[in-house]
């Protein structure tokens, strides 16, 4: 049994909120640079260049890459041999978010009740996903999610007979409808299988995987590659002004499902697919 | 074509702009998004005045980050315009001439733009740190209680945008996509 004080959790989450919002991860920067060579539209190339410049400026000045600093999504993989002391774990996660958004000069974008819609003014509460793992450590990922892209996401309960072609069609149609709204070039997280909520969480988790790393399963990797190729034939292009590069990557995660079902969730994210991770 | 224009606009300016033109805007524009739009429409419905004279103005759909000490404003890129669609035709009828945002607009908005010679500009979504450097002053002029959603008057210098939908209804999103589309 290892003891972890909540103060350490608060501090870690505060820093992760700030880091995730200031610094674009290397895998995304690499793909943006590659996209400069494949984009055929001049205005598309200009936009990608500006996104790269924007990321470098955010890093240098330590400011947010994008003004939509998101709703904080926190993945907590808690080792089963960890003993948390000093207070309530959920409160400490939210305290870390509160401090990170305040001290990092990040935008507060959360309303307390979805109907009454009054801003909570500190970007809490976070959306928290707990997972129990082996060991005596806690692995934390903070993934701030912007809603320009979140709003264009979709979930569908397909029939098993819809098969691979049905899955591909649903993903591509979702991107086509989204058009310019989610700030292309986008990153597409897909969850296939499980139940409705499991598919949605898988889709969100898929966005945490480096975008240059394909799924280990060969038949899933093939779907990722083929769907990406087809998405980039849609013509939407950077900022939706027309071009080759509509998406930088398609990341798919799968889970077992019911004999009667084929849930598919498509979580769209922008080039500002942010996450910062730490293990304590 | 590349143009530099001054805001507020005139009908002569807006009617000359074509979908696909790249523009740099100088002058002042107003920042307003979801909650501020809802409040503005409520004021109009009650027969009250808007918090600023909207005639010939440009509204920028943005909710900026707080400014760091020494900065004028935090990151300030465009938000998705379609959420303002329900409110926009009425504002256009009251004189609004330009909108800066990102993403699709409804038929009702485009019809109002054609009828009143208004223009829809796109700024680069996701480039908020870069765009903020083009804003040289910021003043909250209404609804401060809305925080990031308060109405702000912004002075801009060489603020870069592209004409997405012109006052004849030409739409760069359709034109651009059709040029590069290879799938049905
Ligand atoms: S979709 Fe992404 S890049 Fe676009 S405004 Fe939202 S967070 Fe920023």
């Amino acid at each position: 049994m290892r003891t972890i004080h909540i103060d350490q959790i608060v501090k870690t989450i505060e820093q992760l909120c700030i880091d995730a919002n200031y610094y674009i991860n290397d895998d995304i920067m690499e793909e943006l640079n590659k996209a400069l060579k494949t984009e055929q539209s001049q205005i598309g190339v200009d936009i990608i260049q500006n996104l790269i410049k924007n990321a470098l400026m955010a890093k240098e000045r330590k400011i947010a890459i994008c003004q939509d600093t998101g709703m904080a999504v926190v993945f907590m993989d808690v080792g089963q041999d960890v003993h948390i002391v000093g207070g309530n774990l959920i409160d400490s996660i939210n305290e870390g978010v509160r401090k990170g958004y305040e001290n990092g000069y990040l935008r507060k974008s959360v309303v307390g009740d979805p109907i009454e819609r009054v801003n909570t003014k500190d970007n809490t509460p976070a959306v928290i996903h707990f997972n129990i793992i082996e060991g005596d450590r806690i692995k934390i990922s903070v993934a701030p999610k912007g809603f320009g892209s979140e709003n264009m996401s979709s979930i569908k309960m397909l029939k098993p007979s819809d098969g691979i072609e049905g899955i591909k069609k649903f993903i591509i149609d979702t991107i086509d409808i989204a058009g310019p709204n989610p700030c292309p070039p986008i990153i597409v997280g897909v969850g296939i299988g499980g139940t409705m909520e499991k598919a949605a969480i898988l889709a969100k988790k898929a966005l945490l995987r480096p975008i240059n790393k394909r799924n280990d399963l060969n038949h899933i990797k093939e779907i990722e590659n083929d769907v990406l190729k087809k998405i980039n034939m849609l013509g939407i292009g950077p900022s939706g002004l027309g071009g080759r590069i509509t998406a930088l990557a398609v990341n798919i995660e799968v889970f077992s499902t019911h004999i009667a079902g084929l849930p598919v969730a498509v979580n769209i994210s922008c080039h500002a697919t942010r996450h910062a991770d730490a293990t304590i | 074509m590349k143009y530099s224009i001054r805001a507020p606009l005139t009908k002569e300016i807006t009617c000359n702009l074509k979908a696909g033109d790249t523009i740099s805007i100088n002058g002042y524009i107003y920042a307003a998004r979801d909650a501020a739009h809802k409040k503005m429409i409520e004021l109009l419905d009650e027969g009250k005045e808007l918090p600023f004279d909207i005639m010939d103005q440009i509204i920028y759909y943005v909710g900026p980050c707080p400014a760091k000490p020494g900065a004028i404003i935090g990151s300030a890129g465009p938000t998705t315009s379609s959420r303002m669609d329900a409110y926009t035709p009425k504002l256009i009828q009251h004189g609004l001439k330009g909108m800066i945002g990102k993403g699709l607009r409804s038929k009702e908005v485009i019809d109002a733009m054609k009828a009143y010679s208004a223009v829809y500009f796109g700024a680069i979504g996701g480039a908020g740190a870069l765009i903020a450097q083009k804003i040289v002053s910021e003043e909250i002029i209404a609804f401060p209680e809305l925080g990031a959603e308060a109405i702000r008057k912004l002075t801009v210098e060489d603020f870069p945008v592209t004409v997405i939908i012109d006052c004849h209804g030409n739409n760069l999103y359709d034109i651009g996509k059709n040029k590069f589309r290879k799938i049905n």
Side-chain angles (χ1 to χ4, degrees), chain A residues 181, chain B residues 34 37 61 78-88 99-106 109 120-123 173:
Chain A
N181 289 17
Chain B
D34 308 52
H37 272 74
Y61 303 138
T79 193
T80 312
S81 310
S82 57
R83 293 193 316 274
M84 269 51 79
D85 281 357
Y87 311 114
T88 301
M99 297 148 280
I100 307 170
K102 61 158 170 119
L104 306 166
R105 304 310 305 256
S106 69
V109 171
Y120 174 47
F121 303 102
Y173 288 143

Side-chain angles (χ1 to χ4, degrees), chain A residues 230-249:
Chain A
K230 291 193 170 121
I231 288 172
N232 285 336
M233 288 162 82
L234 289 171
I236 297 167
S239 279
L241 304 187
R244 280 277 77 82
I245 307 293
T246 300
L248 297 173

Side-chain angles (χ1 to χ4, degrees), chain B residues 43-69:
Chain B
L43 287 173
L44 288 176
D45 287 347
E46 290 163 13
K48 294 188 181 144
E49 296 266 301
L50 291 177
F52 64 97
D53 181 4
I54 200 167
M55 186 53 75
D56 294 336
Q57 301 298 346
I58 297 177
I59 289 184
Y60 179 23
Y61 303 138
V62 62
C65 281
K68 276 201 155 177

Side-chain angles (χ1 to χ4, degrees), chain A residues 66-68 145-149 181-183 270-272 274, chain B residues 78-79 102 125-127:
Chain A
C66 178
Q67 75 291 333
D68 187 353
K145 188 64 174 75
F147 261 56
S149 48
N181 289 17
C183 299
C270 45
H271 90 286
R274 295 153 286 195
Chain B
T79 193
K102 61 158 170 119

